[in-house]
Amino acid sequence: MNPYPYLGAGIPFDPNHNHVTSPLVSPHILSKLRLLLAVYTLVTLITTLAWESVVNHVADGYFSYFTHLSYLGLCAYFFAAGVQTLASSRRAASYPLQKWPRPLQVLHLLLQTTITTYPIVVTAVFWALLASPTVFSTVESSWSNISVHILNLVFAVFEIFFTNIPPAPWLMLPLSIMLLACYLALAYVTYAAQGFYPYTFLDPVKQGPLLAAYIIGILGGYIIIFLLVRFLILMRIRVVRWHRARKGEKAMGAEAIEDWEEIERPSKEGGAVV
């Protein structure tokens, strides 16, 4: 069985240019917004890494934190999506990702799935379990925590509501859970190599049986977040379609409307399952 249609990489890939358009602005403006977010996240990563290295002298464990890894994903996605959108705005017929090998298309869609779901996990876990009175104790701490624990969520919401991206294919759920499991393994590799746990709730000695509860709780929470994000994207699509129908316009083209009416079934031509 060909898995690519079930991973969102059907043939043709993104015929309606949903990944590079917005219901509110032109592709050219969307490309600038995505690239602006890419530059901001890159500046944040470089600045906080330099601060941790020069001032706090703890840069060795910088990328042991899921917060920073997921923020790096945001940076990579907005650069990739911004470049693809810019190319689409200059050449309306197609954009490079449509012609790339399907494994690369799947990886782009997986990255897209993570940047719309992981920031919600990061923000929820941080403010529920990890935040302390020192979060806003200095200017640098305030700015870095706002950037990686609040604005990360804003960036995810931007991509969910401000673009025409389709909902993630169902197979992206187990794949994104596998990435979470890989991070869990990385946390224990960090302890073995550097002698500390990135997050105290992962310490089996201190937490005991609570450790399993934390892991299961985060897993269950992530599944709910995946379903919620998928639902919000579907609602955005239907609202945009309804609004454009009232104005006498086609919401996303005749083919797109037919696709969304049969939303869980891949097309006979191998179109994406959403």
Side-chain angles (χ1 to χ4, degrees):
M1 182 182 70
N2 180 8
Y4 289 111
Y6 296 91
L7 290 167
I11 299 176
F13 178 80
D14 191 23
N16 298 303
H17 289 205
N18 293 326
H19 291 286
V20 292
T21 56
S22 165
L24 300 175
V25 298
S26 68
H28 184 66
I29 293 177
L30 178 61
S31 68
K32 289 184 176 180
L33 291 173
R34 279 173 161 170
L35 290 172
L36 177 63
L37 296 182
V39 170
Y40 180 84
T41 52
L42 179 62
V43 169
T44 301
L45 286 166
I46 292 174
T47 304
T48 54
L49 178 58
W51 186 273
E52 292 295 295
S53 177
V54 175
V55 178
N56 296 331
H57 306 290
V58 290
D60 289 348
Y62 186 84
F63 288 110
S64 294
Y65 291 91
F66 188 70
T67 295
H68 296 145
L69 291 174
S70 64
Y71 206 77
L72 182 63
L74 279 167
C75 180
Y77 174 79
F78 281 121
F79 268 116
V83 169
Q84 296 293 333
T85 308
L86 182 62
S88 173
S89 69
R90 294 181 175 181
R91 185 175 53 187
S94 64
Y95 60 95
L97 185 61
Q98 291 177 305
K99 300 178 181 180
W100 287 4
R102 291 209 276 180
L104 293 181
Q105 294 172 350
V106 170
L107 289 175
H108 181 86
L109 296 178
L110 179 58
L111 181 59
Q112 183 183 88
T113 301
T114 64
I115 68 98
T116 56
T117 55
Y118 286 179
I120 304 175
V121 175
V122 168
T123 300
V125 171
F126 179 79
W127 293 109
L129 299 176
L130 304 173
S132 69
T134 62
V135 166
F136 300 116
S137 60
T138 66
V139 173
E140 187 280 332
S141 177
S142 299
W143 172 72
S144 63
N145 278 297
I146 289 171
S147 294
V148 302
H149 295 126
I150 296 178
L151 291 182
N152 63 327
L153 180 59
V154 174
F155 300 157
V157 169
F158 166 85
E159 197 67 17
I160 291 168
F161 291 109
F162 205 75
T163 74
N164 283 325
I165 62 168
W170 286 111
L171 281 182
M172 289 300 172
L173 177 57
L175 290 179
S176 55
I177 289 175
M178 285 176 59
L179 290 180
L180 287 175
C182 288
Y183 174 74
L184 183 63
L186 175 64
Y188 291 100
V189 169
T190 297
Y191 177 75
Q194 300 185 35
F196 75 97
Y197 291 101
Y199 301 104
T200 56
F201 64 82
L202 293 177
D203 186 341
V205 175
K206 291 182 178 180
Q207 302 301 334
L210 278 178
L211 174 61
Y214 281 129
I215 293 174
I216 294 172
I218 292 174
L219 173 61
Y222 178 74
I223 293 172
I224 292 172
I225 288 168
F226 180 91
L227 296 175
L228 175 62
V229 169
R230 203 170 187 277
F231 171 78
L232 291 174
I233 291 175
L234 288 172
M235 289 302 100
R236 183 254 297 154
I237 290 169
R238 292 187 173 114
V239 168
V240 169
R241 185 194 305 172
W242 172 80
H243 177 70
R244 291 180 176 176
R246 287 193 64 187
K247 294 173 63 177
E249 301 174 2
K250 292 183 179 180
M252 297 168 64
E255 292 182 4
I257 292 175
E258 184 176 326
D259 286 345
W260 292 117
E261 287 173 348
E262 300 177 349
I263 209 134
E264 304 301 337
R265 184 158 56 89
S267 68
K268 294 179 181 178
E269 292 79 13
V273 173
V274 293

